[in-house]
Amino acid sequence: MTPAAAAPAMGAAPLLLIAAAAIAALLVLIMRFRMHAFLALILVSLVTAFAAGIAPEKVVPTLIAGFGTTLGTVALLVGLGAMLGRLVEVSGGAQALADDLIRLFGEKRAPFALGVASLIFGFPIFFDAGLVVMLPIIFSVAKRLGGGLLRYGIPAAGAFSVMHVFVPPHPGPVAATELLKSDIGLVTLLGLVVAVPTWYVTSYLFGLWIGKRIEVKVPELLSGGPQAAHDPNPPKSSTVIWLLLLPLAIIFVNTGLDFLAAAGVFDRKATWFVTARTLGQTPIALLVAVLVATYVLGVRRGKGLGELEKLVDGALGPICAITLITGAGGMFGGVLRESGIGGALSQTLNDLGMHVFVAGYVIAAALRIAQGSATVALITAAGLVQPAVAAAGYNSVESAAVVLALAAGSVIASHVNDSGFWLVGRFFEMDLKTTLKTWTVLETLISVMGFAIAGLIFVLA
């Protein structure tokens, strides 16, 4: 979690007006004046910091902290994931797996197959890392079958999103579960009850629908451009599957340990536990996967070390803009948090006297819209409603339903202050307007349906 922001320099109303003006300015600069998103995000972040009353000497450190925190995570994941994707794609492995998926499920069910695979992968792995690992498969299936990228990409991306926000052992629901003293096993079970039907309606069916109405071409990001040639003797799809499962298995062990520690099975301070958790972190898992893939898909198949070096180096150039824009999105979110805008909004809503179940959802949604991070919105909202939940004396199912309502609120309306918004938009090579019409709508649908199912669980408890 980020350090607590300083006390706001002004009241809630001026801060909320500044936030609204900042978001509007960002949209106008990018959509109307065609300013590059990286430059627009930096400029608006700078102006917003001064307008919101952040001390002048703290403005640049705040910008750098928001940028660096996001970039520190995203750059490693995207860079290593792009290298892994390049090796899988250029070796012909992605195409081989895509062909086998099509033969197994049929062409009409290919989006469903990709979505189900992403739901499974999304249980242990974070949204951004999982999406990066799946991209070469998504792109290959889309190229093979046609019909545009969204038909295949939306069901897969939505699957990672619902698992990340609703289901432990992901950090947001785990932290909210601990704060509200809920049962983590029950939250996991009910999280799946919410996540799976929500994915089917909001991601799979919506993906098929929006894919017919908006044509998005398959990018050439992971193949290093249209000139990249596939290996005429591709690896077996089973080889590709276990290469993709390798980082997921490492991450699953890591998150499983955290899950068990939260349940009191292991001591978090034990040396072996700390060491195992360190070695199981996502960047290390992806590094191991890249090194193994370099050998399995390269050295063992007769490719020279120099050729392999050029191959993985070619994966980094195309994703440079994605990484920088995502970091700048984190910068904007960091400014909004430091200025106190998110806190002012949540406190205003907390004072309205709504039922705690509804208030929790609204607070989490407002925090998400104000500062961008779903995890921050979920954890902050859980802290704000914790006293009310404790006083209400809810049973275990009701308490778990409140956690899921908060989770639903935290995913709503992904937009320009969310680093995930830029990650998806740039990887799919969509402009800002198209990203708003697809990804923002998808996340909002996930939020609304997730809240409805959580509400049904709460009522029936």
Side-chain angles (χ1 to χ4, degrees):
M1 294 179 60
T2 55
M10 56 188 72
L15 285 174
L16 297 182
L17 287 174
I18 289 169
I23 292 169
L26 194 55
L27 295 174
V28 170
L29 286 174
I30 296 174
M31 297 173 68
R32 174 67 179 84
F33 294 102
R34 313 299 296 176
M35 180 179 285
H36 193 281
F38 181 60
L39 296 176
L41 282 163
I42 296 174
L43 177 60
V44 171
S45 297
L46 177 63
V47 174
T48 302
F50 278 109
I54 294 178
E57 67 274 13
K58 292 185 177 180
V59 168
V60 173
T62 298
L63 298 180
I64 293 173
F67 183 79
T69 300
T70 302
L71 203 64
T73 301
V74 171
L76 282 172
L77 299 185
V78 172
L80 291 169
M83 286 182 172
L84 178 60
R86 182 81 190 276
L87 289 165
V88 171
E89 206 279 339
V90 176
S91 70
Q95 188 66 52
L97 181 54
D99 290 342
D100 285 349
L101 279 173
I102 292 164
R103 279 194 293 270
L104 181 62
F105 287 92
E107 293 188 0
K108 292 184 178 180
R109 293 184 178 179
F112 182 82
L114 289 172
V116 170
S118 299
L119 283 172
I120 296 170
F121 289 170
F123 186 84
I125 195 171
F126 290 180
F127 166 79
D128 42 10
L131 183 61
V132 168
V133 169
M134 279 295 292
L135 280 176
I137 312 304
I138 296 168
F139 288 179
S140 289
V141 172
K143 286 179 181 177
R144 167 79 166 77
L145 299 182
L149 176 61
L150 294 181
R151 174 179 172 83
Y152 310 95
I154 290 295
F160 284 113
S161 180
V162 297
M163 296 300 285
H164 185 75
V165 74
F166 289 117
V167 183
H170 292 279
V174 166
T177 299
E178 292 182 346
L179 282 168
L180 299 186
K181 309 301 181 185
S182 299
D183 181 272
I184 197 162
L186 188 58
V187 171
T188 302
L189 177 62
L190 294 178
L192 289 170
V193 170
V194 172
V196 174
T198 297
W199 165 79
Y200 183 82
V201 174
T202 67
S203 304
Y204 173 62
L205 295 182
F206 174 71
L208 297 181
W209 182 83
I210 198 69
K212 294 178 181 178
R213 286 156 178 80
I214 300 177
E215 178 73 18
V216 175
K217 294 182 180 180
V218 182
E220 299 288 349
L221 282 172
L222 300 182
S223 60
Q227 78 284 356
H230 289 165
D231 192 315
N233 181 31
K236 295 180 180 179
S237 58
S238 59
T239 302
V240 177
I241 289 173
W242 78 255
L243 281 173
L244 296 181
L245 287 177
L246 177 60
L248 302 182
I250 296 172
I251 294 165
F252 182 77
V253 171
N254 185 50
T255 51
L257 287 172
D258 191 53
F259 179 89
L260 293 172
V265 177
F266 295 134
D267 178 10
R268 290 184 183 275
K269 297 181 181 179
T271 302
W272 74 266
F273 182 86
V274 176
T275 302
R277 288 272 292 147
T278 299
L279 295 177
Q281 294 291 324
T282 302
I284 295 177
L286 283 173
L287 174 63
V288 171
V290 171
L291 294 177
V292 172
T294 300
Y295 173 76
V296 172
L297 301 179
V299 174
R300 199 173 72 175
R301 296 171 63 81
K303 293 186 181 294
L305 295 179
E307 182 182 0
L308 288 170
E309 190 275 334
K310 291 180 180 178
L311 190 67
V312 295
D313 181 67
L316 297 179
I319 56 93
C320 179
I322 295 171
T323 307
L324 290 175
I325 291 169
T326 303
M331 175 193 293
F332 186 42
V335 168
L336 295 179
R337 286 190 291 274
E338 179 66 24
S339 67
I341 288 171
L345 182 57
S346 65
Q347 192 58 51
T348 299
L349 292 168
N350 198 35
D351 293 339
L352 293 179
M354 290 183 284
H355 187 283
V356 64
F357 186 85
V358 178
Y361 173 79
V362 174
I363 290 169
L367 285 167
R368 159 70 157 182
I369 294 168
Q371 54 78 43
S373 169
T375 300
V376 170
L378 176 50
I379 295 172
T380 305
L384 287 169
V385 302
Q386 182 184 29
V389 171
Y394 291 140
N395 63 38
S396 58
V397 175
E398 290 171 329
S399 178
V402 173
V403 171
L404 296 174
L406 296 173
S410 74
V411 77
I412 198 169
S414 170
H415 65 100
V416 292
N417 62 358
D418 175 22
S419 59
F421 174 89
W422 298 104
L423 194 69
V424 172
R426 296 299 155 166
F427 261 128
F428 286 10
E429 290 191 351
M430 298 186 293
D431 59 26
L432 188 100
K433 183 178 180 181
T434 304
T435 311
L436 288 168
K437 291 165 66 176
T438 55
W439 180 248
T440 303
V441 172
L442 168 65
E443 293 285 83
T444 303
L445 292 173
I446 289 172
S447 174
V448 172
M449 184 167 177
F451 178 64
I453 298 176
L456 183 61
I457 292 171
F458 185 86
V459 170
L460 296 177

